[in-house]
Amino acid sequence: MRVSVTRLLTGAAGLALMGVGASLLLDVPDLTGVLVWLGGAVVLHDALIAPLVLLIGLVLVPGRAHGPVRGALLVAGALTAVALPVLLRPGKPANSSVLPLDYPRNWLLTLVAVATVTALVLAMRRTRRSRRQPPSQVRSSSQVRPPS
């Protein structure tokens, strides 16, 4: 089995980022809260997001668009799960520097970016597929045989 350089570099970058995340966890004073949040994220993903993505992709999306649309829905669901704490926060925080950005707007802009990239991927696939197919040969009326 031969592994490409890109896959090897991506795996190394992923391992490095996991190491950074693990080292940051060592400095967290309330590790239980983090573990509960991570456990909740796993349950949310496995019990709600993944089944919905599969169902929507299977029922509502036509043939060749299944993959990109499912990927986009999965990314949108994960972004929503990560953004839920700030999206559901009650009112403004007492300290304006705690959550200084417009998180609902940024979340929506990110979802629009995901939808745009998905639409571009689908358009590129359609363009590539139409270039590969030879023009259909239409029979002229002189070539059509009457039924015998």
Side-chain angles (χ1 to χ4, degrees):
M1 180 167 104
R2 188 176 165 154
V3 179
S4 70
V5 174
T6 304
R7 182 174 281 195
L8 191 63
L9 290 175
T10 304
L15 285 173
L17 288 173
M18 286 172 47
V20 169
S23 70
L24 290 174
L25 273 178
L26 297 176
D27 295 337
V28 173
D30 181 24
L31 189 58
T32 306
V34 172
L35 293 176
V36 167
W37 187 88
L38 287 173
V42 169
V43 169
L44 179 67
H45 176 271
D46 290 351
L48 185 68
I49 295 172
L52 280 176
V53 164
L54 292 174
L55 183 66
I56 291 171
L58 185 65
V59 174
L60 298 178
V61 180
R64 295 186 185 265
H66 279 296
V69 171
R70 282 182 180 174
L73 289 172
L74 190 62
V75 169
L79 285 170
T80 302
V82 169
L84 274 179
V86 293
L87 292 175
L88 299 177
R89 72 177 189 268
K92 293 240 180 217
N95 182 354
S96 62
S97 66
V98 173
L99 297 173
L101 302 175
D102 186 0
Y103 291 99
R105 184 203 65 195
N106 293 344
W107 170 72
L108 287 173
L109 288 173
T110 306
L111 293 182
V112 167
V114 169
T116 302
V117 168
T118 305
L120 288 173
V121 166
L122 290 172
M124 285 176 21
R125 279 185 169 188
R126 189 172 299 136
T127 302
R128 223 181 315 160
R129 190 172 56 243
S130 68
R131 286 183 184 170
R132 272 192 253 152
Q133 293 176 346
S136 61
Q137 297 176 355
V138 179
R139 288 203 229 184
S140 66
S141 60
S142 64
Q143 292 176 324
V144 177
R145 290 184 288 181
S148 44

